[in-house]
């Protein structure tokens, strides 16, 4: 089961061989023996990658649950629930993770030498159960679920522009003024044709004209600093530029409700001390970070 899961996660038998430190022939034989035992094909093999059959997808999901139960039993027997050791998988958004999560992870690893961390920075929301993620940093309104969330702060969505651009084109006073401005948008996060604002206690969508559309937050901010137009970003993303005077926030009284920032984890079984230790370490530091940004 472990070999099969490794092959699926790695994307090929050869990649699983390298990950496991096991000869390719052995990996291939173990998967074939498993298929023979089950009397069904689990994988569609091609020269470039593997894909799961319908039976394989259901079986791999069951394998992961079983392997998690085995790992938990081994951790319990080895004393992991009474002493902080083992490994953690933590995921966070790319920009926020690089700025604020990585420094906490570095400090945590220095304080806990018997714990290893795999930090996955991605803007794709991970399924904690399916991807075996121990903890995720989420910047979003959280739906009701079986997950547990510890809130550490909130993030505003801020419209901003450079002093030079505002001097040349004027400062928008109300959201509708944006129709006369060049806008810089990130196509993967915000709707390119409209931005939402709160007016009169309700949220409204205001049409904008996207002069430049890019796929990263850093690029929108760089373009705004360069004076190309108005952009919208999370407050933490532009904090340094605002402090330096490179960007000026506008339309602040019309900002939509801030997004909560939470540490999210599953609530299945006893919480390993390594995870509890990381939450207790990270939560107050992130709360202090948000408090500093708000001051």
């Amino acid at each position: 089961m472990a070999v099969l899961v490794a092959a699926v996660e790695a994307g090929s038998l050869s990649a699983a061989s390298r990950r496991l430190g096991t000869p390719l022939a052995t990996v291939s034989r173990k998967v074939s023996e498993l298929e023979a035992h089950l009397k069904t094909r689990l994988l569609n093999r091609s020269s470039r990658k593997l894909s799961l059959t319908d039976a394989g997808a259901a079986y791999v999901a069951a394998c992961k649950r079983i392997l998690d139960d085995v790992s938990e039993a081994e951790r319990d027997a080895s004393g992991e629930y009474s002493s902080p050791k083992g490994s953690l998988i933590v995921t966070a958004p790319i920009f926020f993770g690089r700025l604020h999560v990585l420094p906490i992870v570095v400090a945590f690893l220095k304080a806990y030498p018997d714990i290893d961390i795999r930090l996955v920075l991605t803007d794709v929301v991970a399924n904690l159960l399916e991807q075996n993620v121990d903890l995720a940093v989420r910047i979003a309104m959280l739906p009701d679920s079986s997950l547990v969330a510890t809130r550490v702060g909130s993030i505003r969505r801020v419209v901003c522009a450079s002093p030079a651009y505002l001097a040349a084109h004027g400062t928008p006073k109300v959201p509708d003024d944006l129709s006369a401005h060049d806008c810089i948008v990130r196509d993967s996060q915000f709707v390119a044709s409209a931005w939402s604002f709160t007016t009169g206690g309700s949220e409204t969508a205001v049409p904008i004209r996207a002069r430049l559309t890019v796929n990263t937050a850093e690029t929108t901010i760089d373009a705004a600093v360069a004076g190309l137009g108005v952009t919208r970003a999370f407050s933490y993303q532009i904090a340094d530029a605002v402090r330096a005077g490179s960007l000026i926030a506008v339309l602040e009284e019309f900002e939509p409700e801030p997004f909560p920032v939470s540490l999210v984890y599953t609530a299945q079984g006893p919480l390993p001390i390594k995870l509890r230790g990381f939450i207790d370490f990270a939560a107050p530091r992130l709360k202090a970070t948000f408090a500093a940004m708000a001051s």
Side-chain angles (χ1 to χ4, degrees), residues 162-266:
S162 71
Y165 176 86
L166 296 175
H169 297 83
T171 300
K173 303 299 183 184
V174 296
D176 285 341
D177 290 346
L178 291 173
S179 61
H181 286 270
D182 298 333
C183 294
I184 308 160
V185 301
R186 181 185 174 193
D187 61 0
S188 62
Q189 185 171 352
F190 301 115
V191 178
S193 60
W195 287 342
S196 61
F197 293 91
T198 299
T199 55
S202 62
E203 192 166 290
T204 58
V206 175
I208 61 165
R209 183 173 73 91
R211 184 79 191 282
L212 174 66
T213 302
V214 298
N215 67 335
T216 68
E218 294 94 330
T219 309
T220 65
I221 295 167
D222 290 344
V225 169
L228 182 64
V230 179
T231 194
R232 168 176 259 177
F234 286 137
S235 51
Y236 76 89
Q237 295 172 334
I238 62 168
D240 289 343
V242 169
R243 279 193 294 268
S246 303
L247 290 175
I248 296 175
V250 299
L251 302 175
E252 292 179 282
E253 63 270 35
F254 300 101
E255 290 175 6
E257 184 179 354
F259 281 129
V261 182
S262 307
L263 303 180
V264 180
Y265 51 97
T266 62

Side-chain angles (χ1 to χ4, degrees), residues 20-35:
L20 297 170
T22 302
L24 176 58
T26 302
V27 172
S28 179
R29 175 175 55 80
K30 285 183 177 292
V31 172
S32 296
E33 287 176 350
L34 189 56
E35 290 178 317

